[in-house]
Amino acid sequence: VPLVIMGVAFLTTLISLFVVTWDRRPAPPQPTSAVSAPLTGLAFSDGSGQPVRLGTLFPAVILLVDGCDCGALVRDTARTVPDTVIVVPIARAVPVVTGAPANVRALADPNGILRTRFATAAAEAPDAATALLVDRRGIVLSSVATARTVADLGPELASLTR
């Protein structure tokens, strides 16, 4: 009798193990949103190689300019936004923006953290950047996959203030 009880317990354990792990349905997607995740903890390097925390630059317009000749977009955006809003062009190497206003802070993202997180294939055009409009808390208000002009940034641009 004890052996039969042990055998039934053993078989029940094995069957329940198979039932629990044999489910072939895909896992439901987790409710994560790249747009709502704050960017305050990220840090990138400036032209002198010093680390700069993004959280110190908000509110900001972040322009991912890898492979983009977007100097005019950076300058026009910086002239359009209030002086308290920082325009942050970011590429794998620190982008050079000639004639940039004082509210431009160019940074390098050598590991492509932001590009991996936010850029799409549509933004790989040589005359377009991916734009992120970030409020003072580090929350991305909107994302524009292909920004060529300030008009592409949308009406949210006016809502960025300290």
Side-chain angles (χ1 to χ4, degrees):
V1 173
L3 289 175
V4 172
I5 293 173
M6 290 297 291
V8 170
F10 180 73
L11 286 174
T12 305
T13 304
L14 282 178
I15 291 171
S16 67
L17 178 66
F18 286 126
V19 168
V20 169
T21 60
W22 203 300
D23 188 15
R24 294 286 182 195
R25 290 177 293 172
Q30 297 296 320
T32 58
S33 172
V35 174
S36 66
L39 302 175
T40 54
L42 296 176
F44 302 108
S45 58
D46 62 8
S48 64
Q50 297 298 316
V52 176
R53 286 181 36 103
L54 280 183
T56 63
L57 303 176
F58 297 143
V61 177
I62 297 175
L63 298 170
L64 304 178
V65 296
D66 273 326
C68 172
D69 183 20
C70 295
L73 173 64
V74 172
R75 287 187 298 274
D76 292 345
T77 303
R79 290 182 187 116
T80 302
V81 298
D83 291 337
T84 58
V85 176
I86 307 297
V87 177
V88 186
I90 296 180
R92 291 202 184 274
V94 177
V96 177
V97 182
T98 56
N103 61 337
V104 173
R105 185 78 186 265
L107 299 176
D109 179 8
N111 298 324
I113 295 169
L114 288 178
R115 173 134 327 262
T116 302
R117 191 169 170 185
F118 292 101
T120 62
E124 298 298 326
D127 62 340
T130 298
L132 307 172
L133 303 179
V134 185
D135 70 5
R136 62 184 154 88
R137 297 169 297 157
I139 304 296
V140 178
L141 298 176
S142 70
S143 173
V144 179
T146 307
R148 290 183 173 86
T149 66
V150 175
D152 295 335
L153 301 179
E156 291 90 359
L157 189 62
S159 67
L160 289 176
T161 58
R162 282 233 180 243

